[in-house]
Amino acid sequence: MNAVKAIKSVEDLVKAGLAAPAGRAALEAVAARYAIALTPAITRLIDRADPADPIARQFVPDAGELTIAPEERADPIGDHAHSPVEGVVHRYPDRVLLKAVHVCPVYCRFCFRREMVGPQGLGTLDAAAMEAAFDYIRNHQEIWEVILTGGDPLVLSSRRLREIMAALADIAHVKIVRFHTRVPVVDPEKIDAAMIAALKASGKTVYVALHANHVRELTAEARAACARFVDAGIAMISQSVLLKGVNDDPDVLAELMKAFVEIRVKPYYLHHPDLAPGTGHFRLTIEEGQRIVAALRGRISGLCQPTYILDIPGGHGKAVVSASTVRATGDGCYSVSDYRGGEHSYPPAD
């Protein structure tokens, strides 16, 4: 168990018994475009005897990633359209994303920013870019919340996180700081006293949004890492993606949501898969997603109910997947209302 090493290449996958040598050429083609990384914690979770293992499906590359559908796009939720300065996305009036880093400890095969993250991605913001990002936040009084994402912000050292929080602490109109991360699941030992102390700042309420998609990800070590956050006064919420072959079953999804609540992580968002390149094998139809989410009602406590959302392609924001906002127009297409009342085709017509 202790000899398990991080996996960062197709060669590593083959050596670990997670990929067949016969399929190596196709996986090398995938790796040339999209980053590969599995931490020891994730590698240990994979059941090599199960060809449909839901953990492997999330992290082990698949030749299906080479199939690009016409509706898929490099920036499926339109980050670039709302980026006034490098590293900042200002899509909604009262909050911004701050993408300080574009690397992750693991790379999800369905990632909607897969064209931007990884060693070949956009990298880490340098000092000048970080200062420009902070200047933008300082100069926009309407910004109430800053959401650290990327990339996974918790790959940064405690020192760097402390510097970011110190800069935000000096911006009076920012009240909420949120970190989106997989680290408590994929590298739970990294959640230590130094990191927790680094995330705190006077006058700021801090939330950690944990990304997990299957209950097996919530190991004893991951649960302990979450407890360290919550016991220190840092609230936790969840975000998950509804994925074919991973959690597209009401019982599987219910087990995950109940587990979140048991470890004091409030279920928050359940994302419909985005139109990222090479991810069609993960996507369900909206009707399938609605049926699964509807089956949770009455089956589990209201505390366990996530909000099922769709990020409207093109940067138009999130829409709750309900009868009033997402309406079928025929032939697998939909009309989606954004938060401003605009109407958009899904998948996009262009």
Side-chain angles (χ1 to χ4, degrees), residues 240-297:
S240 303
V241 185
L242 187 58
L243 299 167
K244 185 182 291 186
V246 175
N247 56 17
D248 58 331
D249 176 284
D251 290 331
V252 172
L253 205 55
E255 191 177 9
L256 173 63
M257 297 301 151
K258 289 169 73 173
F260 280 141
V261 173
E262 289 166 9
I263 63 173
R264 297 175 288 172
V265 176
K266 176 69 180 78
Y268 182 45
Y269 278 157
L270 177 65
H271 295 263
H272 190 80
D274 294 308
L275 297 172
T279 63
H281 51 297
F282 286 108
R283 283 197 297 277
L284 304 82
T285 66
I286 285 178
E287 284 95 342
E288 288 170 329
Q290 287 174 319
R291 283 195 294 270
I292 291 167
V293 172
L296 296 180
R297 303 294 175 188

Side-chain angles (χ1 to χ4, degrees), residues 63-348:
E65 295 174 50
L66 298 173
T67 301
I68 311 298
E71 66 271 16
E72 294 175 343
R73 47 189 62 195
D75 182 19
I77 70 169
D79 277 358
H80 293 322
H82 296 279
S83 185
V85 298
E86 184 183 3
V88 171
V89 178
H90 197 174
R91 195 186 326 268
Y92 301 100
D94 73 337
R95 55 205 183 274
V96 295
L97 304 183
L98 177 56
K99 300 194 290 185
V101 63
H102 288 88
V103 296
C104 301
V106 295
Y107 291 104
C108 305
R109 308 322 305 169
F110 50 87
C111 178
F112 67 95
R113 291 195 180 110
R114 60 192 333 218
E115 298 274 2
M116 309 174 200
V117 300
Q120 75 279 40
L122 300 180
T124 300
L125 295 189
D126 61 23
M130 283 298 296
E131 190 55 33
F134 290 134
D135 279 342
Y136 180 86
I137 296 168
R138 290 184 191 104
N139 293 331
H140 286 76
Q141 297 282 324
E142 72 274 20
I143 297 172
W144 174 79
E145 181 181 22
V146 174
I147 302 167
L148 275 292
T149 182
D152 193 318
L154 296 194
V155 301
L156 294 170
S157 68
S158 296
R159 177 187 63 79
R160 289 288 290 116
L161 291 168
R162 193 163 53 249
E163 290 171 353
I164 290 170
M165 290 303 293
L168 294 176
D170 289 337
I171 305 175
H173 55 268
V174 172
K175 303 299 183 183
I176 309 295
V177 182
R178 193 194 323 171
F179 292 84
H180 283 200
T181 185
R182 263 194 178 276
V183 169
V185 163
V186 306
D187 191 9
E189 310 262 328
K190 196 171 191 298
I191 310 303
D192 58 15
M195 173 177 285
I196 290 169
L199 298 190
K200 294 189 169 186
S202 177
K204 309 303 175 196
T205 299
V206 178
Y207 285 81
V208 169
L210 174 67
H211 177 186
N213 299 311
H214 194 279
V215 72
R216 276 176 44 210
E217 296 173 57
L218 301 179
T219 61
E221 294 80 9
R223 292 169 187 244
C226 292
R228 290 194 285 276
F229 276 132
V230 179
D231 289 345
I234 295 175
M236 293 193 70
I237 57 178
S238 77
Q239 58 173 0
S240 303
V241 185
L242 187 58
L243 299 167
K244 185 182 291 186
V246 175
N247 56 17
D248 58 331
D249 176 284
D251 290 331
V252 172
L253 205 55
E255 191 177 9
L256 173 63
M257 297 301 151
K258 289 169 73 173
F260 280 141
V261 173
E262 289 166 9
I263 63 173
R264 297 175 288 172
V265 176
K266 176 69 180 78
Y268 182 45
Y269 278 157
L270 177 65
H271 295 263
H272 190 80
D274 294 308
L275 297 172
T279 63
H281 51 297
F282 286 108
R283 283 197 297 277
L284 304 82
T285 66
I286 285 178
E287 284 95 342
E288 288 170 329
Q290 287 174 319
R291 283 195 294 270
I292 291 167
V293 172
L296 296 180
R297 303 294 175 188
R299 184 180 302 220
I300 53 176
S301 165
L303 288 172
C304 304
Q305 304 288 342
T307 300
Y308 181 32
I309 62 160
L310 171 73
D311 267 294
I312 305 171
H316 301 290
K318 293 178 174 62
V320 176
V321 182
S322 66
S324 62
T325 57
V326 180
R327 297 166 299 285
T329 57
D331 297 324
C333 297
Y334 306 84
S335 177
V336 185
S337 302
D338 67 28
Y339 73 99
R340 297 186 181 93
E343 294 290 322
H344 308 277
S345 296
Y346 180 88

